[in-house]
């Protein structure tokens, strides 16, 4: 029998690729989203954001009728399974917004019926899945509940969904069996663990990555304070030295997940998480460090500066929690004029790349888009990522004039 699935938050960065992948694999998928704009875009076959290979696949599953899209919340009751992919942000105290999540879940549970499967795909605070199961039983609702966290890298979801192992955290053996049957459609290996461990898996993955980026960024800061070239040090460290193979480069660790999930883990541990909190200070402090360094070389107060790339990462159109915006904020305070450019983000205040390069006295790299890879910039450049073409004679630090 065909699986029928309603994905709640189905037009988001996680829900939409997952829905396309499941529909392509033979499920009947309904995407439910409360953003009328995104629903209209998907219904018309237009991806609301960049996702490799998704435009063609979306057209196919719409055309063969295996995927439909709606804003009608009653759609939840019409499928065997509901998969929740709504956002799970932290609040101004960096704690999970449990009440907002509960309200959204109440809206879903109100429309569920006995016998359905409920899968939390969103990243959640440890304990949330079992708590949700208890809330269902308090309502007298007999459904199977599981947490199956999403681990794709945004922009590569369709490639990765079919290859990454799926973690299945069912509250009961029946929930695990049913969630496994659904995710086995995607083909990859399934890993069955208790729900709280599935929740920790996801938070540990993102926090580990966030801390690793912070290590590189801390080393970058130390190297620069001593006039050393971090990229050269890193290259020497990692060349033919397998124990350093996973050591990342320096750069902005922004975006909607890494800091948020590190803070979820901190909140879970009653804010006793020195390593995670130190990582936050290093990563979030990087834009200010770059500006302070630049100020030692250039009189920014009279300078026009340009930021190339405002998305939270390269070749992506997502501005959420991008540190390029934090850089813009610091520069707006320090420089005479700040110009921003990004080929993927529509913003009337942004300027074309050529105009930014023409007018700028100093150029900062904000995101490593392919479009910038081969630029020859004849202006002072601040490139924390070491991404842009290097000049023939290299300066000893990252603030340098590119040939
Ligand atoms: N973006 C990533 O790379 C990534 C990776 C792994 C896990 N996650 C996790 O996945 C979850 C979703 O993240 P995202 O980036 O897809 O967020 P998103 O904001 O892109 O998508 C969420 C979608 O849910 C919709 N929505 C919100 N509340 C709703 C409701 N009550 N009913 C119907 N629709 C609703 C929104 O309109 C939006 O389209 C988060 O928990 C996030 O931490 C994200």
């Amino acid at each position: 029998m065909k699986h029928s699935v309603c994905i709640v938050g189905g037009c988001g960065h996680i829900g939409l690729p997952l829905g396309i992948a499941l529909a392509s694999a033979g499920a009947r998928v309904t995407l439910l989203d409360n953003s009328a704009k995104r629903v209209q875009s998907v219904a018309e076959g237009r991806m609301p954001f960049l996702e490799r290979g998704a435009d063609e696949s979306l057209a196919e599953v719409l055309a063969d009728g295996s995927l439909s899209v709606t804003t009608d919340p009653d759609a939840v009751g019409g499928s065997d399974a509901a998969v929740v992919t709504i956002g799970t942000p932290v609040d101004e105290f960096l704690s999970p917004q449990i009440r907002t999540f509960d309200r959204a879940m109440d809206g879903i549970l109100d429309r569920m019926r006995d016998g359905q499967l409920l899968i939390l795909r969103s990243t959640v605070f440890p304990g949330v899945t079992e708590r949700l199961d208890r809330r269902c039983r308090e309502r007298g609702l007999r459904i199977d509940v599981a947490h199956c966290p999403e681990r794709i890298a945004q922009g590569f979801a369709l490639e990765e969904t079919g290859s990454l192992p799926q973690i299945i955290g069912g509250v009961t053996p029946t929930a695990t069996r049913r969630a496994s049957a659904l995710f086995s459609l995607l083909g990859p290996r399934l890993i069955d663990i208790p729900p709280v461990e599935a929740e920790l898996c996801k938070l540990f993955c993102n926090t580990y990555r966030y801390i690793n980026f912070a290590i590189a960024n801390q080393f970058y800061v130390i190297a620069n304070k001593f006039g050393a070239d971090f990229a050269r040090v890193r290259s020497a460290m990692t060349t033919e030295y397998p124990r350093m193979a996973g050591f990342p480069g320096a750069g902005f660790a922004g975006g909607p997940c890494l800091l948020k999930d590190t803070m979820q883990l901190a909140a879970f541990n009653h804010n006793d998480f020195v390593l995670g909190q130190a990582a936050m200070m290093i990563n979030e402090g990087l834009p200010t460090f770059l500006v302070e360094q630049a100020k030692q070389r250039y009189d920014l107060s009279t300078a026009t500066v340009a930021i190339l790339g405002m998305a939270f990462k390269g070749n992506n159109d997502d501005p959420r929690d991008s540190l390029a915006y934090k850089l813009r904020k610091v520069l707006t305070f320090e420089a005479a004029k700040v110009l921003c450019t990004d080929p993927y983000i529509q913003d009337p205040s942004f300027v074309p790349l050529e105009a930014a390069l023409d007018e700028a006295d100093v150029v900062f790299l904000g995101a490593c888009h392919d479009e910038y890879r081969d630029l020859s910039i004849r202006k002072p450049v601040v490139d924390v990522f070491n991404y842009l073409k290097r000049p023939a004679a290299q300066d000893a630090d990252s603030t340098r004039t590119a040939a």
Side-chain angles (χ1 to χ4, degrees), residues 9 12-14 33-34 38 85 88 122-123 150 154 260 320:
H13 290 83
I14 292 308
D33 204 290
N34 61 8
R38 281 190 172 180
T85 62
T88 47
S122 301
T123 306
E150 179 61 83
Q154 203 173 303
K260 183 260 290 184
R320 290 180 297 171

Side-chain angles (χ1 to χ4, degrees), residues 28-258:
R28 185 165 56 78
V29 177
T30 306
L31 304 176
L32 163 63
D33 204 290
N34 61 8
S35 162
K37 196 172 157 206
R38 281 190 172 180
V39 166
Q40 187 185 348
S41 166
V42 173
E44 290 168 359
R46 282 181 290 109
M47 287 293 293
F49 42 79
L50 275 183
E51 190 58 54
R52 275 158 198 73
D55 295 274
E56 302 77 21
S57 310
L58 173 61
E60 280 166 23
V61 291
L62 283 171
D64 70 17
S66 54
L67 183 128
S68 60
V69 56
T70 182
T71 53
D72 179 1
D74 288 338
V76 167
S79 301
D80 306 328
V83 179
V84 176
T85 62
I86 62 174
T88 47
V90 289
D91 63 17
E92 68 271 37
F93 308 110
L94 301 176
S95 290
Q97 295 188 9
I98 294 282
R99 269 200 210 126
T100 315
F101 178 77
D102 278 352
R103 267 200 301 277
M105 289 312 303
D106 282 342
I108 295 167
L109 296 182
D110 285 346
R111 291 165 173 91
M112 290 195 79
R113 52 183 169 74
D114 288 351
Q116 283 186 293
L117 169 67
L118 174 60
I119 295 177
L120 286 180
R121 187 71 163 170
S122 301
T123 306
V124 292
F125 195 70
V128 161
T129 308
E130 286 183 338
R131 177 172 171 271
L132 183 65
D133 181 68
R134 282 197 302 278
R135 292 180 71 216
C136 292
R137 281 186 279 118
E138 281 160 17
R139 284 169 164 252
L141 191 57
R142 289 201 298 269
I143 58 177
D144 295 309
V145 179
H147 178 51
C148 305
E150 179 61 83
R151 294 189 299 163
I152 55 91
Q154 203 173 303
F156 299 89
L158 287 180
E159 287 160 40
E160 293 192 347
T161 298
S163 59
L164 294 181
Q166 296 289 337
I167 292 167
I168 311 286
V171 175
T172 60
T174 310
T176 296
R177 185 182 48 72
R178 293 182 70 187
S180 299
L182 179 63
F183 280 104
S184 63
L185 284 183
L186 300 175
R189 181 169 169 200
L190 305 173
I191 300 171
D192 165 10
I193 55 173
V196 74
E197 293 181 11
E199 292 162 341
L200 283 172
C201 250
K202 176 64 195 176
L203 291 185
F204 285 172
C205 283
N206 274 359
T207 302
Y208 179 79
R209 294 187 65 223
Y210 190 67
I211 291 171
N212 267 316
F213 292 135
I215 295 171
N217 288 333
Q218 176 79 85
F219 288 176
Y220 174 90
V221 168
I222 292 172
N224 274 271
K225 280 189 179 158
F226 286 91
D229 181 337
F230 174 71
R232 202 157 48 214
V233 176
R234 178 174 172 266
S235 169
M237 283 166 71
T238 53
T239 300
E240 292 172 33
Y241 191 58
R243 281 188 287 287
M244 278 286 119
F247 183 50
F252 289 159
C257 290
L258 296 189

